[in-house]
Amino acid sequence: MTPAFAPADHPPVKPGKTGILIANLGTPDGYDYWSMRRYLNEFLSDRRVIDFPAWKWQPLLQGIILTKRPFTSGANYKLIWNEEKNESPLMTITRAQADALREAAVAEWGDQIMVEFCMRYGNPSTEEVLNRMIEAGCRRIVFLPLYPQYAGATSATANDQMFRALMQQKWQPAIRTCEPYFDRPDYIDALAQSVERVLQGRIPGRLVASYHGMPKRYLMQGDPYHCQCQKTSRLLQERLGWADGIIDTTFQSVFGREEWLKPYTVEHVAELARQGVDDIAVISPAFAADCIETLEEINGEIREAYEHAGGKEFTYIPCLNDDPGHIAVMMNVIRDNIGGWATT
């Protein structure tokens, strides 16, 4: 389309669109050594994730860690890999979330809405997807990192990558980034409904809310993640109407030698078993989609730790994934941020 009053030789300009871009953590392209190494190198080189000085960290990363870890991580990914689509479950689920959001957004705002997804690490990259949206005519984009609780190593690094990609653009679109949604009533209700759906009215001896961990040092430096996790657990308990002491907040995926947020999930569930709590359920409120940390770590390593210590009944409550209630939460967050963009 040629702009009004433009000379005849003016290059065509695509009609303006409003974009919605959701972002998740990322996934390797495969579970082979080199795919895993590329992915882990990008992830573990992020200064938001590992903030040690490069001169100290990179020799260790490029030497010992990236020599050994791709083998163990690849073996774990192989256990959960979607062989039919040749991709990780995180990719399958995030695509399904984007498809469901696209259907809902177009139904509400029309075909001038474009909905896509990207990954902070791996493919499709933030830069690749942003370029595609701009090429399609998106002049305004709502950017939603799929992390209910804010952390520097999740929400912030997703935003960082978006802004780095914008730096490459001659004509930048307007961007609105979304706040974390850890205490939204609709999100808490969706979590509670997932618990009720799986447990069918049964109250376990303990519901363990297992959040991704991070170094305790980050909390002391001002990261709000720990506090937001605690509030999510408290609000979930209130919504379920359960007594105090039934929901425990724990942290998983510890990496390295320094102290991380405690209690550690794998140790806590074993201790519960030793105390005689023989019926637990585990939920992962920090994950918007099931992934290696939930499907393999929780339903594998953490389950085994509990059963090995004498625990009997272990129930994993899946992430919200592309459940209609979760899609409704995302749409509400987007509505709060899209303002008048979708109709102008």
Side-chain angles (χ1 to χ4, degrees):
M1 182 179 72
T2 301
F5 309 111
D9 61 349
H10 193 287
V13 177
K14 290 184 173 67
K17 291 185 177 182
T18 297
I20 298 167
L21 179 55
I22 61 173
N24 214 322
L25 180 78
T27 169
D29 295 326
Y31 50 75
D32 60 282
Y33 176 83
W34 290 107
S35 294
M36 290 303 313
R37 184 178 176 113
R38 284 192 299 271
Y39 174 73
L40 291 171
N41 183 46
E42 184 180 9
F43 175 46
L44 296 176
S45 292
D46 186 348
R47 292 295 301 278
R48 289 279 196 180
V49 176
I50 306 291
D51 65 352
F52 298 142
W55 65 265
K56 181 178 181 180
W57 173 243
Q58 282 298 321
L60 179 62
L61 176 63
Q62 301 301 326
I64 298 173
I65 295 173
L66 290 182
T67 297
K68 296 182 178 180
R69 195 174 177 91
F71 289 111
T72 56
S73 294
N76 290 336
Y77 266 98
K78 186 176 181 179
L79 295 172
I80 65 166
W81 201 252
N82 183 340
E83 296 289 355
E84 180 182 351
K85 295 187 176 182
N86 191 27
E87 62 188 22
S88 74
L90 178 68
M91 178 71 76
T92 304
I93 294 166
T94 307
R95 182 185 295 107
Q97 291 171 330
D99 289 345
L101 280 174
R102 185 178 301 110
E103 181 178 352
V106 170
E108 181 162 340
W109 295 304
D111 59 8
Q112 290 304 300
I113 288 287
M114 183 176 183
V115 180
E116 297 291 338
F117 74 93
C118 67
M119 299 294 182
R120 169 61 184 88
Y121 313 104
N123 297 305
S125 70
T126 305
E127 182 176 8
E128 170 198 339
V129 178
L130 177 66
N131 289 343
R132 185 165 70 244
M133 296 179 79
I134 293 173
E135 279 292 312
C138 290
R139 301 307 318 150
R140 298 167 293 194
I141 297 175
V142 174
F143 184 61
L144 173 58
L146 294 180
Y147 308 107
Q149 299 81 19
Y150 174 94
T154 55
S155 307
T157 192
N159 289 334
D160 289 346
Q161 195 72 351
M162 166 58 76
F163 297 136
R164 275 192 288 267
L166 283 173
M167 291 172 65
Q168 308 305 315
Q169 298 296 324
K170 293 292 186 185
W171 185 6
Q172 294 177 333
I175 300 288
R176 290 176 179 169
T177 60
C178 299
E179 290 183 313
Y181 51 97
F182 66 98
D183 59 352
R184 288 182 61 102
D186 51 1
Y187 165 66
I188 299 299
D189 192 57
L191 283 178
Q193 288 183 36
S194 74
V195 173
E196 293 165 342
R197 185 163 54 245
V198 172
L199 296 182
Q200 295 289 304
R202 175 173 62 88
I203 299 179
R206 206 66 56 90
L207 174 63
V208 178
S210 180
Y211 298 82
H212 198 288
M214 73 177 187
K216 182 179 178 181
R217 175 169 49 87
Y218 292 8
L219 166 64
M220 306 313 292
Q221 292 170 348
D223 194 300
Y225 177 71
H226 178 265
C227 299
Q228 293 184 3
C229 293
Q230 295 287 353
K231 187 171 184 181
T232 296
S233 295
R234 176 175 62 79
L235 293 175
L236 176 59
Q237 175 194 315
E238 292 174 0
R239 162 59 179 78
L240 288 168
W242 292 357
D244 291 345
I246 296 180
I247 298 181
D248 292 343
T249 296
T250 64
F251 300 90
Q252 64 182 86
S253 308
V254 176
F255 179 79
R257 296 182 178 180
E258 70 176 304
E259 182 180 0
W260 281 42
L261 298 177
K262 290 184 176 179
Y264 300 148
T265 304
V266 67
E267 296 178 358
H268 186 73
V269 298
E271 181 59 28
L272 288 176
R274 287 190 287 268
Q275 292 173 2
V277 181
D278 58 7
D279 171 20
I280 70 170
V282 181
I283 190 171
S284 302
F287 297 91
D290 275 305
C291 54
I292 190 75
E293 286 87 355
T294 62
L295 298 174
E296 193 283 323
E297 186 178 358
I298 289 181
N299 222 9
E301 175 190 351
I302 290 169
R303 175 192 288 271
E304 290 171 7
Y306 176 70
E307 293 174 347
H308 182 73
K312 296 180 180 178
E313 188 166 352
F314 182 103
T315 303
Y316 174 61
I317 299 171
C319 294
L320 296 179
N321 296 328
D322 60 338
D323 179 83
H326 194 203
I327 301 303
V329 173
M330 293 186 203
M331 279 293 292
N332 288 337
V333 172
I334 291 164
R335 285 189 193 96
D336 289 348
N337 287 274
I338 209 165
W341 279 4
T343 57
T344 58

